[in-house]
Amino acid sequence: MIHHFSTWNLSLSLEFRASSLSLPEQSLIHHFSTWNLSYVYMVVGTLRYSIPKSVVYCQVREAKRNLLGRFFTELGAKEGRQLSKLLDEDPVITQRRQNIGKRLELYRAAQSEIDMVVWTK
């Protein structure tokens, strides 16, 4: 309904203003008003279809964030044995992963000590 009201209001306004203009000027104004009105309808149509999609996208993104947060909270509350059971990992691979994790911690500690020595000089 707003769509029809704005069309009527615009055409009435242009007719009133165009009455004092010459025929070529009226034709040019009519051409511009038609082109502008078409552009406005195109933008309104684009918004009509894109806004609902944007709203749904925001809802899905928020739901995803909530689900992932709950999943990581539940996962973080589990103990090491429960996580190993969930992973159903070969014990040899589990041991190797733990050893590599310990070496990584040693490398990080060594890097931290090296950085402290370099910064103190």
Side-chain angles (χ1 to χ4, degrees), residues 6-115:
S6 63
T7 304
W8 177 79
N9 193 13
L10 180 64
S11 62
L12 180 64
S13 173
L14 288 174
E15 285 175 17
F16 177 74
R17 291 184 186 149
S19 63
S20 63
L21 300 174
S22 67
L23 189 58
E25 290 172 335
Q26 288 178 5
S27 175
L28 187 62
I29 287 178
H30 178 71
H31 175 72
F32 286 151
S33 66
T34 303
W35 185 85
N36 286 332
L37 199 57
S38 297
Y39 177 75
V40 167
Y41 291 152
M42 182 194 70
V43 170
V44 167
T46 302
L47 291 174
R48 185 181 308 133
Y49 291 111
S50 64
I51 287 176
K53 290 178 185 179
S54 300
V55 169
V56 170
Y57 170 76
C58 291
Q59 290 173 336
V60 168
R61 185 181 60 190
E62 189 63 30
K64 175 184 166 187
R65 190 178 304 148
N66 289 338
L67 286 173
L68 283 174
R70 188 169 35 177
F71 172 73
F72 286 128
T73 301
E74 289 177 9
L75 194 61
K78 296 192 182 290
E79 294 181 13
R81 287 184 180 167
Q82 290 173 324
L83 290 175
S84 296
K85 188 176 179 181
L86 282 175
L87 289 174
D88 195 28
E89 198 173 45
D90 185 25
V92 174
I93 294 174
T94 304
Q95 185 62 39
R96 182 168 180 203
R97 185 173 37 80
Q98 289 172 349
N99 290 340
I100 291 172
K102 289 176 186 175
R103 279 198 310 194
L104 178 62
E105 288 301 317
L106 289 172
Y107 287 140
R108 286 182 178 161
Q111 182 66 43
S112 176
E113 288 180 25
I114 291 169
D115 287 343

